[in-house]
Amino acid sequence: MTAFFIAFALFILFYINTLTNTLCIQKEIPDEKQPKVFRTINVLITILLISSYVEVLFK
């Protein structure tokens, strides 16, 4: 179960980063602000994935 969830989480993070890159290109976000956008989204998605894992683990 853990291996499946880790593989799923990595796929989700990769896909979210692809979507974030598309957002930055579409909205013409300056290059100096892009790392902050990526970091914020990655932290929030990681928190969401960890909380989902904990919920599944203790259910």
Side-chain angles (χ1 to χ4, degrees):
M1 177 71 176
T2 302
F4 172 74
F5 198 86
I6 290 173
F8 178 72
L10 290 175
F11 172 75
I12 292 297
L13 281 171
F14 175 76
Y15 193 71
I16 292 297
N17 279 327
T18 304
L19 290 174
T20 304
N21 188 39
T22 305
L23 172 76
C24 287
I25 291 170
Q26 234 178 16
K27 296 296 180 183
E28 298 175 356
I29 296 175
D31 287 340
E32 54 273 357
K33 288 190 176 186
Q34 286 183 13
K36 186 175 180 182
V37 171
F38 274 93
R39 190 174 327 121
T40 302
I41 291 175
N42 282 334
V43 166
L44 294 173
I45 293 297
T46 302
I47 291 169
L48 179 66
L49 288 168
I50 290 171
S51 65
S52 298
Y53 179 72
V54 169
E55 183 178 340
V56 168
L57 187 66
F58 292 116
K59 209 167 197 191

